[in-house]
Amino acid sequence: MKIAIIGAGAMGSIYGGHLSLKNEVYLIDTNEDIISSINNNGLIIEENGKSNVYRPKAVTNSEGLPEMDLVVLFVKSLYSKVALAGNKNLIGENTYLMTLQNGSGHEDILGEFVDDKHIIIGTTEDNGAVLGVGHIRRGGIGNTNIGMLVEDNEGFLLKVKDTFDCCGFNVKIHDNIQQLIWNKLFTNVSLSVVTGILQVKIGYIRSNEYAWNMTKALIHEAVEVAHKMGLEADEEKITKDVENVSIKSPEGVTSICADLGAGRKTEVDTISGSVVRAANKVGVKVPTHEFVVNMVHAMECKEK
Ligand SMILES: NC(=O)C1=CN([C@@H]2O[C@H](COP(=O)(O)OP(=O)(O)OC[C@H]3O[C@@H](n4cnc5c(N)ncnc54)[C@H](OP(=O)(O)O)[C@@H]3O)[C@@H](O)[C@H]2O)C=CC1
Ligand SMILES: CC(C)(CO)C(=O)C(=O)O
């Protein structure tokens, strides 16, 4: 398959590196240092206690590249639109666009570039981190959950599954992919965003009664929205799951916490902001989520 991955950070490199074993893969990133390092030294991924080197083609822009079968978006979501607009020439009539970015509602931006029949949305349970330029750690490995907004008449999801599974992924195809997306969203819109605002590690959430109260209030509002959207959401179970994340990974740092700590912009608009937009559509009040969106943006703008 001819695949372009936009964003050669932690996740783009993990998917791009592995997929390059059996596919024609182009890794696209605006960071010239990353691209020249991958082209000169290969893409180095620490995984399973080993250091493996992959050799995808790496470019700073898509000029001169052919139309792709699949374009996977792995930039932080605040750059999605600009990244797709800058690489429009990769997208032809038959090109599918896929996002596994955290948060929800990404289909709105993908829909500006292809029709609903060519949009694949989902989540990944894999995770990773950038260790250096062109040097990535593949952390936990889990399922890659994918689905479409409409019937998959062309059977493309099965092709994606075959292509990805033989390169070291574990793809699951879902009829109700929004359910999977919201299952993951509950943690990010509660625990993750509170760790960001407080600038604390994941363990603090359960060990501090006030942080835990805020987290539960955010879960409660998000569950009300999910119910109105017709999704399943068992508040007690979700609260227990989030509690377990805090207890089992006390030293973990969420990406929203890391972004704010490093003075970077965050993905809050497609995380908490997506709950606010969904709430407005279904007529539920979510004042706590509105508050945290403003709080995170206010923190992004603080002078360093
Ligand atoms: N990391 C993880 O464990 C997980 C992340 N995700 C999701 O995956 C997505 C990517 O995350 P992650 O890999 O951590 O992010 P990274 O910041 O590591 O990687 C993103 C890369 O995209 C580059 N980039 C920014 N703008 C453009 C552009 N216009 N064109 C091309 N490249 C661009 C960035 O360059 P620069 O740094 O110079 O801006 C960076 O190299 C996010 O939506 C995240 O929520 C999902 C599950 C787990
Ligand atoms: C909660 C966590 C750490 C789970 O991987 C996450 O997705 C994040 O906020 O970065």
Side-chain angles (χ1 to χ4, degrees), residues 100-118:
L100 302 171
Q101 294 158 301
N102 283 335
S104 76
H106 302 296
E107 58 272 22
D108 293 346
I109 286 180
L110 270 51
E112 293 180 27
F113 298 88
V114 291
D115 60 27
D116 280 1
K117 285 187 282 189
H118 291 89

Side-chain angles (χ1 to χ4, degrees), residues 102 187-188 191-192 202 254-255:
N102 283 335
T187 307
N188 293 142
L191 171 140
S192 301
I202 289 176
T254 65
S255 57

Side-chain angles (χ1 to χ4, degrees), residues 2-304:
K2 216 177 275 172
I3 304 171
I5 312 257
I6 311 182
M11 299 308 288
S13 295
I14 291 169
Y15 279 79
H18 279 262
L19 289 170
S20 71
L21 294 173
K22 298 194 175 179
N23 298 277
E24 184 177 337
V25 170
Y26 300 90
L27 254 183
I28 302 170
D29 199 292
T30 42
N31 186 323
E32 285 178 17
D33 292 344
I34 295 180
I35 297 309
S36 54
S37 177
I38 295 174
N39 286 329
N40 294 334
N41 313 317
L43 171 61
I44 305 159
I45 303 186
E46 305 297 332
E47 50 193 346
N48 304 322
K50 280 192 288 188
S51 197
N52 292 326
V53 181
Y54 296 88
R55 302 219 172 250
K57 297 183 180 78
V59 290
T60 51
N61 66 67
S62 56
E63 218 180 291
L65 296 187
E67 288 176 359
M68 298 290 146
D69 300 311
L70 177 67
V71 174
V72 187
L73 193 55
F74 261 133
V75 295
K76 291 280 176 79
S77 58
L78 63 156
Y79 305 116
S80 293
K81 193 167 179 167
V82 89
L84 286 172
N87 294 293
K88 261 206 268 192
N89 55 308
L90 300 172
I91 306 168
E93 248 176 48
N94 301 314
T95 306
Y96 285 79
L97 284 190
M98 174 160 130
T99 168
L100 302 171
Q101 294 158 301
N102 283 335
S104 76
H106 302 296
E107 58 272 22
D108 293 346
I109 286 180
L110 270 51
E112 293 180 27
F113 298 88
V114 291
D115 60 27
D116 280 1
K117 285 187 282 189
H118 291 89
I119 293 178
I120 302 173
I121 57 176
T123 62
T124 172
E125 294 166 9
D126 284 23
N127 63 68
V130 174
L131 299 177
V133 178
H135 188 191
I136 306 296
R137 182 179 58 237
R138 187 178 191 189
I141 300 177
N143 293 333
T144 298
N145 299 299
I146 60 170
M148 288 179 65
L149 305 168
V150 294
E151 194 82 13
D152 177 19
N153 291 328
E154 307 278 325
F156 192 73
L157 292 178
L158 266 180
K159 285 190 198 151
V160 171
K161 179 174 169 52
D162 289 347
T163 305
F164 280 49
D165 283 1
C166 68
C167 292
F169 299 99
N170 190 14
V171 172
K172 300 267 182 252
I173 298 170
H174 298 268
D175 288 336
N176 188 358
I177 189 65
Q178 293 292 3
Q179 180 71 56
L180 268 286
I181 288 174
W182 274 69
N183 290 351
K184 186 172 186 187
L185 191 66
F186 288 123
T187 307
N188 293 142
V189 300
S190 58
L191 171 140
S192 301
V193 81
V194 178
T195 62
I197 291 168
L198 297 178
Q199 288 292 287
V200 292
K201 291 184 178 167
I202 289 176
Y204 190 81
I205 296 299
R206 190 58 189 99
S207 65
N208 178 275
E209 106 178 76
Y210 305 103
W212 184 234
N213 285 343
M214 283 194 275
T215 304
K216 283 191 296 185
L218 289 161
I219 292 172
H220 178 73
E221 285 183 3
V223 163
E224 287 200 319
V225 178
H227 284 161
K228 277 276 177 136
M229 290 170 69
L231 298 175
E232 280 172 23
D234 177 341
E235 186 168 343
E236 207 176 306
K237 180 178 181 304
I238 292 163
T239 309
K240 197 80 209 150
D241 290 347
V242 171
E243 183 175 24
N244 279 335
V245 173
S246 181
I247 292 168
K248 289 188 179 153
S249 314
E251 292 301 308
V253 177
T254 65
S255 57
I256 204 161
C257 179
D259 284 341
L260 284 171
R264 292 187 295 261
K265 293 201 168 185
T266 69
E267 296 187 291
V268 71
D269 281 334
T270 45
I271 296 182
S272 311
S274 73
V275 174
V276 174
R277 281 187 297 281
N280 289 339
K281 274 191 201 152
V282 296
V284 173
K285 295 233 175 309
V286 288
T288 324
H289 288 277
E290 283 175 6
F291 181 84
V292 299
V293 171
N294 285 314
M295 176 67 104
V296 170
H297 281 315
M299 291 179 74
E300 288 171 340
C301 298
K302 263 197 329 195
E303 234 180 294
K304 286 272 132 354

